[in-house]
Amino acid sequence: MPGAAVLCLVFIPYALGHYLSCLLRTVNAILAPQLMAAAGLSPAELGLLTSAYFLAFALAQLPVGLVLDRYGPRRVQCAMLLVAALGTLAFAGSGTFAQMLAARTLMGLGLAGCFMAAVKAVSTWISPARLPSVQGYLIAAGGLGAASATLPVRLFLQYADWRWMFILLALGCVVVGALILLLAPTPPAAPPKRFDRRVLVDVYRHPAFRETAGLVLIPHTVFFGVQGLWIGRWLTDVGRYPEQSVAWLLYLGMAAVIFGAISVGMVTEWAAKRGYDAITVAGVGVALFIAVQCAIALNWQPGIAQLAVAFTLVGTITGIEYTIVAQAMPPALTGRASTCLNLLIFAGAFLVQAGFGQVVGLWQPDSANRYPPVAYSAAFGALVLLQLPGLAWFAWRRRRVGPRNTVESAF
């Protein structure tokens, strides 16, 4: 298939689906004040509501992987985007916490296959030599979606209610689903793969998977869980920034995702030329990420705006775990390994996002419904304590076996 046809018929339709997925995943960071006012939500309820998206993502990973193999990305993605449209439309009409929770969960289920379907589609129609760069463009499309959930949403709210925004996003899901159904080619038929639990056991027991997950998994869940909601609330409650400034800072942070993803690739290649493997780069990056969180936990007032952007910029290092696992594990396990990583990451992000709200909710808000800095210090401090053992364990292993060994040699 010619390159122009692949761009218009394969990449753009599926990339639009991933764009919508990331937009709807992070939009609550801007809409938190409106949602809390509309349904009288506490921080715990807001965290649970927003994190339901991650829980639905986690629960859908294995089933979506199986149906993608059996029926192909074109039919599966179209059907799932219709489910997402239904959930998004239901969210627009919700008036209680229970209704919002059910709608948000349905939204997450419908969007759970956007990235996997896109990867499967481009893997079918694009040569292997071009896949890394094309997958990078897919990640950039997701970054644009997350950026669109910040300042553009805030500007929209100046002219219309948040419910109208979700109605338009529901329409967008229908339009993208129709584009995929009408434009995307049907891949060649392939024999269906049976689900084998032993393959998953092999993935979880593989040394490369265990070392990578031990170092990067919890930081990755923290990055997803906090970036999608609580950084915005921290800027509002601790930094005392107005909503317009919060939207601008979140926009800068989401734009930093694209720059960070490109930088991680360049730094990893630079380190490889000097004999350092990707997981060593990950270890340095995770240490920097934890350092940023320590500064946030201390509520360092002169640098609150810079820390909010740095959290997102440095946090992009956590995405390197997909590359590490793909390079270190046998080819027969890489597909299922990515699915297992998704399952653990999204389940962990659900726990982080919901748990953060539970901790903040232990304190009482002031008359302006702002929670005290100590509440956020406690929540960020708890997250730092969760991540330190993995970093310490990795550092001890590396010190014992040497910094330039492969992942397998650590065991």
Side-chain angles (χ1 to χ4, degrees):
M1 184 182 295
V6 172
L7 174 66
C8 296
L9 303 181
V10 179
F11 180 81
I12 290 178
Y14 286 103
L16 286 173
H18 185 47
Y19 170 91
L20 286 174
S21 173
C22 292
L23 194 162
L24 285 165
R25 189 188 77 204
T26 56
V27 72
N28 281 12
I30 288 294
L31 295 180
Q34 287 78 13
L35 298 178
M36 295 179 78
L41 304 179
S42 67
E45 289 173 330
L46 178 65
L48 180 60
L49 170 65
T50 306
S51 64
Y53 189 95
F54 287 121
L55 180 61
F57 255 64
L59 294 176
Q61 290 306 301
L62 293 179
V64 168
L66 292 174
V67 296
L68 281 173
D69 285 339
R70 185 174 183 87
Y71 299 108
R74 175 173 167 268
R75 287 189 288 174
V76 171
Q77 185 65 351
C78 177
M80 292 189 71
L81 281 171
L82 293 180
V83 173
L86 181 61
T88 307
L89 192 62
F91 196 87
S94 299
T96 66
F97 170 70
Q99 292 171 346
M100 288 182 171
L101 184 65
R104 179 80 175 171
T105 302
L106 188 62
M107 191 191 308
L109 285 173
L111 295 168
C114 286
F115 186 71
M116 286 194 294
V119 169
K120 187 170 183 65
V122 299
S123 299
T124 302
W125 299 105
I126 292 176
S127 63
R130 296 175 57 198
L131 274 181
S133 59
V134 173
Q135 289 183 9
Y137 300 148
L138 281 174
I139 294 173
L144 289 174
S148 299
T150 56
L151 189 60
V153 168
R154 178 60 191 161
L155 294 174
F156 179 88
L157 293 176
Q158 296 179 5
Y159 302 97
D161 185 71
W162 64 270
R163 298 181 188 275
W164 278 107
M165 186 193 67
F166 278 99
I167 292 173
L168 293 176
L169 288 173
L171 179 61
C173 291
V174 173
V175 171
V176 173
L179 285 175
I180 291 174
L181 183 65
L182 296 175
L183 298 180
T186 301
K193 299 178 182 179
R194 295 183 59 187
F195 176 70
D196 188 352
R197 286 179 294 180
R198 290 174 299 179
V199 175
L200 296 183
V201 172
D202 290 340
V203 169
Y204 286 117
R205 293 179 61 184
H206 196 281
F209 188 91
R210 287 190 288 124
E211 184 177 28
T212 305
L215 173 65
V216 190
L217 178 63
I218 295 180
H220 203 159
T221 64
V222 169
F223 174 63
F224 269 9
V226 174
Q227 164 259 326
L229 178 63
W230 294 115
I231 280 291
R233 295 304 303 164
W234 178 70
L235 286 168
T236 299
D237 293 355
V238 179
R240 303 298 177 94
Y241 286 97
E243 292 184 12
Q244 185 71 19
S245 298
V246 170
W248 173 246
L249 288 171
L250 291 178
Y251 177 79
L252 291 178
M254 294 304 100
V257 169
I258 302 172
F259 176 78
I262 296 172
S263 298
V264 167
M266 294 174 63
V267 170
T268 303
E269 292 181 4
W270 175 86
K273 293 177 181 178
R274 287 153 180 80
Y276 293 95
D277 53 13
I279 198 166
T280 301
V281 176
V284 175
V286 166
L288 291 174
F289 186 50
I290 293 175
V292 170
Q293 293 171 66
C294 289
I296 291 175
L298 295 173
N299 293 319
W300 184 47
Q301 289 290 336
I304 280 186
Q306 292 83 355
L307 288 173
V309 177
F311 180 90
T312 306
L313 176 64
V314 181
T316 55
I317 189 66
T318 58
I320 200 175
E321 62 185 327
Y322 291 103
T323 300
I324 297 171
V325 168
Q327 290 177 342
M329 295 186 68
L333 293 178
T334 54
R336 296 296 173 92
S338 295
T339 300
C340 292
L341 277 177
N342 284 337
L343 181 97
L344 293 173
I345 289 167
F346 291 125
F350 161 75
L351 295 174
V352 167
Q353 205 164 70
F356 197 103
Q358 293 285 346
V359 174
V360 172
L362 295 175
W363 280 262
Q364 293 296 320
D366 60 17
S367 58
N369 203 33
R370 290 190 295 253
Y371 284 79
V374 65
Y376 290 90
S377 294
F380 276 108
L383 293 180
V384 168
L385 292 177
L386 287 175
Q387 296 166 82
L388 283 177
L391 179 63
W393 174 79
F394 170 78
W396 179 76
R397 287 282 189 181
R398 286 281 131 166
R399 184 178 180 85
R400 193 180 73 171
V401 302
R404 300 190 180 188
N405 294 63
T406 61
V407 173
E408 289 83 359
S409 66
F411 290 85

